[in-house]
């Protein structure tokens, strides 16, 4: 079964309050087996619009990635994030070839 990834591009408007999002999201990430591959850090926008924070999170499966996003724990965190940051996020199934 292929792994899956959350890929998020985020502009944080309120860094202090964004910490509340991170803390609130942590139980969901732990429950669904999330592994952070990239979390902020230096980046280069090669094409298109770049955002200040780029995150790649690996999950054991597409279902786990979906379940994490739809969980009550993550939805509570998302409500915080949406008040303090602008983001685009996709869930991508990994290649298992």
């Amino acid at each position: 079964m292929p792994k899956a990834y959350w890929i998020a591009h985020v502009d944080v408007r309120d860094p202090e309050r964004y910490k509340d999002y991170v803390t609130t999201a942590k139980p969901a990430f732990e429950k669904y087996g999330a592994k952070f591959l990239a979390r902020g850090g230096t980046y280069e926008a090669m094409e298109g619009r770049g955002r200040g924070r780029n995150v790649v999170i690996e999950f054991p499966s597409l279902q786990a990635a979906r379940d994490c996003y739809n969980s009550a724990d993550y939805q509570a965190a998302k409500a915080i994030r949406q008040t303090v940051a602008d983001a685009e996020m996709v869930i991508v199934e990994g290649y298992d070839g």
Side-chain angles (χ1 to χ4, degrees), residues 6-60:
W6 283 17
I7 302 172
H9 306 287
V10 184
D11 282 330
V12 177
R13 295 187 310 272
D14 183 343
E16 284 305 309
R17 186 88 167 98
Y18 191 80
K19 292 176 187 176
D20 294 336
Y21 159 73
V22 172
T23 301
T24 304
K26 186 176 179 181
F29 293 142
E30 290 174 349
K31 180 177 181 180
Y32 293 98
K35 178 182 175 185
F36 284 81
L37 303 180
R39 192 175 200 173
T42 302
Y43 73 94
E44 292 181 42
M46 304 307 284
E47 294 185 31
R49 179 174 183 238
R51 290 201 179 256
R53 184 172 179 82
N54 300 283
V55 181
V56 179
I57 308 170
E58 180 182 86
F59 287 86

Side-chain angles (χ1 to χ4, degrees), residues 50-92:
R51 290 201 179 256
R53 184 172 179 82
N54 300 283
V55 181
V56 179
I57 308 170
E58 180 182 86
F59 287 86
S61 67
L62 184 59
Q63 191 61 53
R66 286 181 183 140
D67 289 346
C68 183
Y69 183 83
N70 292 316
S71 71
D73 285 333
Y74 187 74
Q75 290 301 304
K78 176 184 159 187
I80 295 168
R81 177 180 47 80
Q82 289 180 326
T83 67
V84 300
D86 299 311
E88 285 123 19
M89 186 170 73
V90 297
I91 296 175
V92 179

